Structures are given as C-alpha cells and as structure tokens.
Amino acid sequence: MPHVLGYERERVFGFCLVEYEDPRFVERLNEAWYELATSSGLIDENREFLLMLPRGTWTAEEDRRRRTMHAWQRVRLLERWDIMGAGAATFLGIRAGHPGFAMLALDNSVWLLADTYEAGAAVYAVRDPAGSPGVLRELKRQVERPARKNEDREFRRDVGVWLESG
C-alpha cells in the first residue's frame, strides 16, 4: 500500500520516545525499535518486512530536496543490525540517532514509524493502516487533486492502482 500520513490516533498501539539526554541514547532507541518491531508483528518468521526507500540513488538530503515519494522494498533483518545508528546516518534518517523512516509488515497489518522530535527520537506502531479512513481519504486526495510541477507522477499512478485494487 502507498504510504501517506492520515491515520487516526486510536490506531497507534505502541510508542517509545528516547530522550537525547540518555547516555545510551542510540542503544536504547535500537532496543525500543526491536521490541516494537517484534511485538507488533512487523517482522515475520523469516525476519522480513517492507522498508520505504527512495526511488532514486541520491543522498537523503537530495531526496528531501526533490520531495520524491518512496517505494516499499522487501528486506530481511540481519543478525547484526544498527537501525538507529548506522542506518539513521544513511537513508533511514539524517544522522545517527535522528531517524525518519517507515516500515510495513508484509501483510499490511502494521506500520512502524520513527521520527525525530525536539526532546528525542521515537518509534511507534500503527495498526491496520490500509483500513484507516484517514489514510484512504489522503490517498484519494493525492490522486484527485491537479498534478503539480515536479511531482512524482509514478507515486500518483501507484496510488491510483492500489485504490482500484481494494
């Protein structure tokens, strides 16, 4: 399913904020992510899930400048991983401890989102995003509004196809 914000607050069923002042900040953030990823059902029995990745091969800074939409890619969590440190320092955020990503269970049952806030970074889970009236409304809005210059037309096409399939 295409990723847009618009879910209802009641769909959030897990949340953890780690404050920047924590001496084990990145480590605790990784622990919080893993606990939520496993308890929410994001990761399947093969340790696989979908990760929102840029459509191009440019840097995260260039990606934000272009405002392109992203595409889900099937990934597998390795035995050794560092989502909130090394991952956030590359395409999963802006630098270590400053994440900004979306993940989706293979069955579309849960989104796992991470973001950076004034006091710290957080990870949270959203139940059944595909069934959210707010998400569906936002997706329809994406397709129905007039196209803008420099817009990601591939994303609009993907949204239209997904809405028609449901």
Side-chain angles (χ1 to χ4, degrees), residues 15 18-19 27 35 72 80 86 113 124 140 148 157:
F15 177 85
V18 180
E19 295 186 355
E27 183 181 348
E35 168 60 30
W72 292 114
R80 292 176 39 105
L113 305 159
Y124 57 102
K140 287 177 185 170
R148 293 182 228 153
R157 189 189 72 239

Side-chain angles (χ1 to χ4, degrees), residues 7-131:
Y7 55 85
E8 296 76 22
R9 176 171 277 150
E10 301 80 39
R11 290 186 183 266
V12 175
F13 68 98
F15 177 85
C16 182
L17 172 74
V18 180
E19 295 186 355
Y20 297 125
E21 298 166 356
D22 189 317
R24 294 179 47 232
F25 174 66
V26 171
E27 183 181 348
R28 288 193 200 271
L29 202 50
N30 269 326
E31 291 168 356
W33 173 84
Y34 188 74
E35 168 60 30
L36 198 50
T38 55
S39 67
S40 70
L42 173 76
I43 299 173
D44 76 358
E45 63 278 355
N46 296 319
R47 299 172 59 94
E48 293 183 338
F49 55 95
L50 299 173
L51 174 63
M52 183 69 63
L53 293 174
R55 289 188 192 267
T57 57
W58 40 79
T59 64
E61 183 178 334
E62 177 69 7
D63 183 59
R64 281 188 291 281
R65 187 184 68 73
R66 289 174 183 249
R67 295 183 177 198
T68 58
M69 299 313 280
H70 296 68
W72 292 114
Q73 298 294 319
R74 189 177 192 141
V75 297
R76 176 176 288 138
L77 185 66
L78 300 175
E79 290 300 321
R80 292 176 39 105
W81 53 269
D82 182 12
I83 302 286
M84 298 298 186
T90 57
F91 53 84
L92 297 178
I94 55 174
R95 66 179 183 268
H98 291 75
F101 61 77
M103 297 170 172
L104 179 66
L106 294 178
D107 65 1
N108 289 322
S109 64
V110 64
W111 269 337
L112 199 71
L113 305 159
D115 215 343
T116 303
Y117 300 97
E118 187 174 325
V123 59
Y124 57 102
V126 177
R127 181 185 288 57
D128 187 27

Side-chain angles (χ1 to χ4, degrees), residues 133-152:
V135 168
L136 294 172
R137 236 184 343 270
E138 182 58 30
L139 289 170
K140 287 177 185 170
R141 218 175 306 169
Q142 291 282 336
V143 173
E144 293 169 354
R145 69 172 169 65
R148 293 182 228 153
K149 185 180 178 183
N150 298 328
E151 181 174 35
D152 187 340

